[in-house]
Amino acid sequence: MADAPLNWIAMIDCLSRTRRFVDPASRPVSFAASEVRIVRPAVIIRACGSLSRWRSKQQRRHSMMELYYGAGACSFVPHVGLEAIKAATGEGFEPRAIKLHKGEQHSPEYLALNPLGLVPLLVVDGKPLSQILAICDYLDRRYPQAGLLPADPWQRAQAMSTFAWMNNTVHPTFTHIFRPGNFAEGEAAQTEVKRLATEKFRGHLERIQVMAEKAAPFLLGDKLSFVDAYALVFLRWGGLAGIDPASLPGYRAYVERLAAVPPVAAAMAREGINLETYRK
Ligand SMILES: N[C@@H](CCC(=O)N[C@@H](CS)C(=O)NCC(=O)O)C(=O)O
């Protein structure tokens, strides 16, 4: 086949951006018109293909996501989200375990990243983002193809309403059980805080059970979402608070199904957690 006439300026521009052809450390290349050879289209196509592969690799390299999480903590919610994103898009993340029981969240290195001393923390290209709702909103907007929140504005608002209730009501109720010392002084007062919070927490779990009994198969319908991951966390926490999951059979059956869904199972395996947390 005869060589086709080509726009050689576009070709040189394309090639000069491709590492395979030009050493990035070298000075900019200049060409005299007489030095330019006409090249077959196939060569150009190969060069541009390799340029675009190199660019995607650079983009991935420049878009590193790290998740700081504690095993069994609320950070499980974005953890499941990131596993779902990995399954849907191939985009990976770096998991960074923080041992909450050893107080690693209060280390100077971690406080430099998150002065709140809490997990989860998502670090994107070195920039930290805290708060579950903000992290999950960011992940969903960046990777809508993972379907972690509904696209329809009204359905999304309904989902956010449940998600916000979980984050601002159910979650802090458990904090009163787990860390009563943050809310009252003296043993008797703390025991009372714990007792009252456990009662309220059970009420919240009963409300989630009503939702779980309608799950089809997930709380928001046919797609796994952040609220499913939160629901699993709460049933596990309930067990730690002495709430027998057998007393919430609809909720337990839904969580058992959920635990087998690949992104959920992957996050559980990494965190080394299971559903057997109940103790009297
Ligand atoms: N409002 C925060 C709550 C985060 C939070 O309470 N994280 C807990 C784990 S579930 C934590 O890091 N606790 C560490 C500590 O209390 O020292 C969010 O939405 O991210």
Short mmCIF file of all heavy atoms in Angstrom, two decimals, residues 70 72-75 98 100 103 105-106 110 114 116-121 130-135 167-168 171-172 174-175 178-179 182 230 233 237, ligand 1:
data_model
loop_
_atom_site.label_atom_id
_atom_site.label_comp_id
_atom_site.label_asym_id
_atom_site.label_seq_id
_atom_site.Cartn_x
_atom_site.Cartn_y
_atom_site.Cartn_z
N GLY A 70 -10.64 1.18 60.41
CA GLY A 70 -10.43 0.35 61.60
C GLY A 70 -11.29 -0.90 61.44
O GLY A 70 -12.43 -0.80 60.97
N GLY A 72 -13.93 -3.47 61.71
CA GLY A 72 -15.26 -3.52 62.34
C GLY A 72 -15.85 -2.15 62.63
O GLY A 72 -16.97 -2.05 63.13
N ALA A 73 -15.13 -1.08 62.30
CA ALA A 73 -15.63 0.27 62.58
C ALA A 73 -16.52 0.76 61.43
O ALA A 73 -16.71 0.07 60.42
CB ALA A 73 -14.45 1.21 62.80
N CYS A 74 -17.03 1.98 61.60
CA CYS A 74 -17.91 2.56 60.58
C CYS A 74 -17.22 2.76 59.24
O CYS A 74 -17.89 2.92 58.20
CB CYS A 74 -18.47 3.89 61.08
SG CYS A 74 -17.15 5.03 61.58
N SER A 75 -15.90 2.73 59.24
CA SER A 75 -15.13 2.88 57.99
C SER A 75 -15.42 1.71 57.04
O SER A 75 -15.05 1.76 55.86
CB SER A 75 -13.64 2.95 58.31
OG SER A 75 -13.29 1.99 59.28
N ILE A 98 -5.86 1.00 60.61
CA ILE A 98 -5.53 1.76 61.82
C ILE A 98 -6.05 0.93 62.99
O ILE A 98 -7.24 0.58 63.03
CB ILE A 98 -6.24 3.15 61.79
CG1 ILE A 98 -5.68 4.03 60.67
CG2 ILE A 98 -6.17 3.87 63.13
CD1 ILE A 98 -4.26 4.52 60.89
N LEU A 100 -7.53 0.82 66.11
CA LEU A 100 -8.20 1.75 67.03
C LEU A 100 -7.97 1.35 68.48
O LEU A 100 -7.78 2.21 69.34
CB LEU A 100 -9.70 1.81 66.71
CG LEU A 100 -10.09 2.34 65.33
CD1 LEU A 100 -11.59 2.28 65.12
CD2 LEU A 100 -9.59 3.76 65.11
N GLY A 103 -4.98 2.74 69.82
CA GLY A 103 -4.92 4.20 69.83
C GLY A 103 -4.13 4.80 68.67
O GLY A 103 -3.71 5.96 68.74
N GLN A 105 -5.12 5.97 66.05
CA GLN A 105 -5.80 7.16 65.49
C GLN A 105 -5.34 8.44 66.19
O GLN A 105 -5.62 9.54 65.69
CB GLN A 105 -7.33 7.00 65.57
CG GLN A 105 -7.94 7.02 66.95
CD GLN A 105 -7.89 5.66 67.66
OE1 GLN A 105 -6.98 4.87 67.45
NE2 GLN A 105 -8.86 5.41 68.52
N HIS A 106 -4.64 8.28 67.33
CA HIS A 106 -4.15 9.47 68.05
C HIS A 106 -2.65 9.70 67.84
O HIS A 106 -2.05 10.55 68.48
CB HIS A 106 -4.43 9.34 69.56
CG HIS A 106 -5.90 9.11 69.86
ND1 HIS A 106 -6.87 9.96 69.43
CD2 HIS A 106 -6.54 8.10 70.52
CE1 HIS A 106 -8.06 9.50 69.81
NE2 HIS A 106 -7.89 8.37 70.47
N TYR A 110 -1.01 10.19 62.23
CA TYR A 110 -2.41 10.14 61.78
C TYR A 110 -3.11 11.47 62.02
O TYR A 110 -3.87 11.94 61.17
CB TYR A 110 -3.15 8.97 62.46
CG TYR A 110 -4.52 8.77 61.84
CD1 TYR A 110 -4.63 8.27 60.54
CD2 TYR A 110 -5.68 9.11 62.51
CE1 TYR A 110 -5.87 8.12 59.93
CE2 TYR A 110 -6.93 8.97 61.91
CZ TYR A 110 -7.01 8.45 60.61
OH TYR A 110 -8.24 8.31 60.01
N ASN A 114 -5.63 13.55 59.79
CA ASN A 114 -6.99 13.81 60.25
C ASN A 114 -6.96 14.27 61.70
O ASN A 114 -6.94 13.45 62.63
CB ASN A 114 -7.85 12.54 60.12
CG ASN A 114 -9.30 12.83 60.50
OD1 ASN A 114 -9.66 13.98 60.78
ND2 ASN A 114 -10.12 11.79 60.52
N LEU A 116 -9.14 15.10 63.58
CA LEU A 116 -10.26 14.60 64.39
C LEU A 116 -9.91 13.28 65.06
O LEU A 116 -10.60 12.84 65.98
CB LEU A 116 -11.50 14.42 63.52
CG LEU A 116 -12.05 15.68 62.83
CD1 LEU A 116 -13.22 15.32 61.92
CD2 LEU A 116 -12.51 16.70 63.88
N GLY A 117 -8.87 12.61 64.57
CA GLY A 117 -8.47 11.33 65.17
C GLY A 117 -9.51 10.24 64.99
O GLY A 117 -9.69 9.41 65.88
N LEU A 118 -10.20 10.27 63.86
CA LEU A 118 -11.26 9.29 63.60
C LEU A 118 -11.04 8.62 62.25
O LEU A 118 -10.42 9.19 61.36
CB LEU A 118 -12.63 9.99 63.57
CG LEU A 118 -13.12 10.69 64.85
CD1 LEU A 118 -14.37 11.50 64.56
CD2 LEU A 118 -13.37 9.69 65.97
N VAL A 119 -11.58 7.41 62.12
CA VAL A 119 -11.69 6.78 60.81
C VAL A 119 -13.17 6.84 60.43
O VAL A 119 -14.01 6.95 61.32
CB VAL A 119 -11.20 5.30 60.83
CG1 VAL A 119 -9.72 5.23 61.05
CG2 VAL A 119 -11.96 4.46 61.85
N PRO A 120 -13.52 6.81 59.17
CA PRO A 120 -12.66 6.64 58.01
C PRO A 120 -12.01 7.94 57.56
O PRO A 120 -12.49 9.03 57.89
CB PRO A 120 -13.65 6.16 56.93
CG PRO A 120 -14.94 6.83 57.28
CD PRO A 120 -14.96 6.87 58.79
N LEU A 121 -10.94 7.76 56.79
CA LEU A 121 -10.32 8.89 56.11
C LEU A 121 -9.96 8.40 54.71
O LEU A 121 -9.33 7.35 54.56
CB LEU A 121 -9.06 9.35 56.85
CG LEU A 121 -8.44 10.63 56.28
CD1 LEU A 121 -9.27 11.85 56.66
CD2 LEU A 121 -7.01 10.82 56.77
N SER A 130 -12.48 13.61 55.27
CA SER A 130 -13.07 12.87 56.39
C SER A 130 -14.59 12.94 56.31
O SER A 130 -15.14 13.70 55.50
CB SER A 130 -12.57 13.43 57.73
OG SER A 130 -13.06 14.74 57.91
N GLN A 131 -15.25 12.20 57.17
CA GLN A 131 -16.71 12.11 57.31
C GLN A 131 -17.32 11.16 56.27
O GLN A 131 -17.21 11.37 55.05
CB GLN A 131 -17.41 13.47 57.24
CG GLN A 131 -16.97 14.42 58.35
CD GLN A 131 -17.28 13.89 59.76
OE1 GLN A 131 -18.34 13.32 60.00
NE2 GLN A 131 -16.36 14.06 60.68
N ILE A 132 -17.98 10.14 56.81
CA ILE A 132 -18.56 9.09 55.95
C ILE A 132 -19.42 9.66 54.82
O ILE A 132 -19.28 9.27 53.66
CB ILE A 132 -19.40 8.13 56.81
CG1 ILE A 132 -18.48 7.36 57.77
CG2 ILE A 132 -20.19 7.14 55.95
CD1 ILE A 132 -19.19 6.51 58.78
N LEU A 133 -20.33 10.58 55.16
CA LEU A 133 -21.25 11.07 54.14
C LEU A 133 -20.50 11.78 53.01
O LEU A 133 -20.83 11.61 51.84
CB LEU A 133 -22.31 12.01 54.73
CG LEU A 133 -23.32 11.39 55.70
CD1 LEU A 133 -24.41 12.40 56.05
CD2 LEU A 133 -23.96 10.13 55.15
N ALA A 134 -19.50 12.57 53.37
CA ALA A 134 -18.73 13.30 52.35
C ALA A 134 -17.92 12.32 51.50
O ALA A 134 -17.87 12.44 50.28
CB ALA A 134 -17.82 14.32 53.02
N ILE A 135 -17.30 11.35 52.15
CA ILE A 135 -16.47 10.38 51.42
C ILE A 135 -17.35 9.59 50.43
O ILE A 135 -17.01 9.43 49.26
CB ILE A 135 -15.77 9.41 52.42
CG1 ILE A 135 -14.74 10.16 53.26
CG2 ILE A 135 -15.14 8.23 51.68
CD1 ILE A 135 -14.17 9.36 54.42
N ASN A 167 -26.08 7.86 60.11
CA ASN A 167 -24.83 8.50 60.51
C ASN A 167 -25.00 9.45 61.70
O ASN A 167 -24.13 9.54 62.56
CB ASN A 167 -24.24 9.24 59.30
CG ASN A 167 -22.87 9.83 59.58
OD1 ASN A 167 -22.71 11.04 59.63
ND2 ASN A 167 -21.88 8.98 59.77
N ASN A 168 -26.16 10.16 61.73
CA ASN A 168 -26.26 11.18 62.80
C ASN A 168 -27.10 10.73 63.99
O ASN A 168 -27.17 11.44 64.99
CB ASN A 168 -26.76 12.53 62.23
CG ASN A 168 -28.21 12.47 61.73
OD1 ASN A 168 -29.02 11.65 62.18
ND2 ASN A 168 -28.55 13.34 60.80
N HIS A 171 -25.60 5.75 64.67
CA HIS A 171 -24.16 5.64 64.96
C HIS A 171 -23.81 6.31 66.31
O HIS A 171 -23.21 5.67 67.19
CB HIS A 171 -23.40 6.25 63.78
CG HIS A 171 -21.92 6.15 63.85
ND1 HIS A 171 -21.12 6.26 62.75
CD2 HIS A 171 -21.07 5.98 64.90
CE1 HIS A 171 -19.86 6.14 63.11
NE2 HIS A 171 -19.80 5.97 64.41
N PRO A 172 -24.20 7.60 66.54
CA PRO A 172 -23.86 8.21 67.84
C PRO A 172 -24.53 7.52 69.03
O PRO A 172 -24.01 7.57 70.14
CB PRO A 172 -24.36 9.65 67.70
CG PRO A 172 -24.50 9.90 66.24
CD PRO A 172 -24.81 8.58 65.61
N PHE A 174 -24.74 4.34 69.36
CA PHE A 174 -23.80 3.28 69.74
C PHE A 174 -22.57 3.87 70.43
O PHE A 174 -22.01 3.25 71.34
CB PHE A 174 -23.38 2.44 68.53
CG PHE A 174 -22.48 1.30 68.93
CD1 PHE A 174 -23.00 0.17 69.58
CD2 PHE A 174 -21.11 1.36 68.74
CE1 PHE A 174 -22.17 -0.86 70.00
CE2 PHE A 174 -20.27 0.34 69.15
CZ PHE A 174 -20.81 -0.78 69.78
N THR A 175 -22.15 5.05 69.99
CA THR A 175 -20.97 5.68 70.64
C THR A 175 -21.24 5.85 72.14
O THR A 175 -20.34 5.71 72.96
CB THR A 175 -20.65 7.04 69.96
OG1 THR A 175 -20.64 6.86 68.54
CG2 THR A 175 -19.30 7.58 70.40
N PHE A 178 -20.53 2.46 73.61
CA PHE A 178 -19.13 2.04 73.50
C PHE A 178 -18.20 2.93 74.31
O PHE A 178 -17.23 2.47 74.89
CB PHE A 178 -18.75 2.08 72.01
CG PHE A 178 -17.48 1.36 71.68
CD1 PHE A 178 -17.34 0.01 71.96
CD2 PHE A 178 -16.43 2.03 71.07
CE1 PHE A 178 -16.17 -0.66 71.65
CE2 PHE A 178 -15.25 1.37 70.75
CZ PHE A 178 -15.12 0.02 71.04
N ARG A 179 -18.52 4.22 74.34
CA ARG A 179 -17.68 5.17 75.07
C ARG A 179 -18.52 6.03 76.01
O ARG A 179 -18.61 7.26 75.85
CB ARG A 179 -16.92 6.08 74.10
CG ARG A 179 -15.93 5.36 73.20
CD ARG A 179 -14.84 6.29 72.72
NE ARG A 179 -13.95 5.69 71.75
CZ ARG A 179 -12.97 4.85 72.03
NH1 ARG A 179 -12.75 4.49 73.28
NH2 ARG A 179 -12.20 4.36 71.07
N ASN A 182 -17.40 9.37 77.49
CA ASN A 182 -17.41 10.64 76.75
C ASN A 182 -18.63 11.48 77.11
O ASN A 182 -18.70 12.65 76.75
CB ASN A 182 -17.49 10.39 75.23
CG ASN A 182 -16.19 9.84 74.66
OD1 ASN A 182 -15.22 9.69 75.39
ND2 ASN A 182 -16.19 9.54 73.38
N TYR A 230 -23.72 -0.02 56.13
CA TYR A 230 -23.94 0.55 57.48
C TYR A 230 -24.85 -0.39 58.30
O TYR A 230 -24.63 -0.62 59.49
CB TYR A 230 -24.60 1.93 57.35
CG TYR A 230 -23.92 3.05 58.13
CD1 TYR A 230 -24.07 4.38 57.71
CD2 TYR A 230 -23.16 2.81 59.27
CE1 TYR A 230 -23.46 5.43 58.40
CE2 TYR A 230 -22.55 3.85 59.97
CZ TYR A 230 -22.71 5.15 59.52
OH TYR A 230 -22.11 6.19 60.21
N VAL A 233 -22.88 -3.17 59.73
CA VAL A 233 -22.06 -2.70 60.86
C VAL A 233 -22.92 -2.63 62.13
O VAL A 233 -22.52 -3.10 63.21
CB VAL A 233 -21.47 -1.30 60.53
CG1 VAL A 233 -20.86 -0.64 61.78
CG2 VAL A 233 -20.42 -1.40 59.44
N TRP A 237 -22.49 -4.41 65.78
CA TRP A 237 -22.33 -3.60 66.99
C TRP A 237 -23.40 -3.99 68.01
O TRP A 237 -23.13 -4.02 69.22
CB TRP A 237 -22.44 -2.11 66.66
CG TRP A 237 -21.24 -1.54 65.94
CD1 TRP A 237 -20.10 -2.19 65.59
CD2 TRP A 237 -21.08 -0.18 65.49
NE1 TRP A 237 -19.24 -1.32 64.94
CE2 TRP A 237 -19.82 -0.09 64.86
CE3 TRP A 237 -21.89 0.95 65.53
CZ2 TRP A 237 -19.33 1.10 64.30
CZ3 TRP A 237 -21.41 2.13 64.97
CH2 TRP A 237 -20.15 2.20 64.37
N1 LIG B 1 -18.96 11.47 62.06
C1 LIG B 1 -17.84 10.64 61.75
C2 LIG B 1 -17.81 9.52 62.77
C3 LIG B 1 -16.55 8.70 62.66
C4 LIG B 1 -16.36 7.83 63.89
O1 LIG B 1 -17.07 7.93 64.91
N2 LIG B 1 -15.36 6.94 63.82
C5 LIG B 1 -15.04 6.05 64.92
C6 LIG B 1 -15.07 4.59 64.48
S1 LIG B 1 -16.71 4.04 64.15
C7 LIG B 1 -13.61 6.30 65.38
O2 LIG B 1 -12.73 6.55 64.57
N3 LIG B 1 -13.37 6.22 66.68
C8 LIG B 1 -12.05 6.37 67.21
C9 LIG B 1 -12.06 6.90 68.59
O3 LIG B 1 -13.15 7.15 69.12
O4 LIG B 1 -10.99 7.08 69.14
C10 LIG B 1 -17.97 10.12 60.32
O5 LIG B 1 -19.07 10.15 59.77
O6 LIG B 1 -16.96 9.74 59.70
#
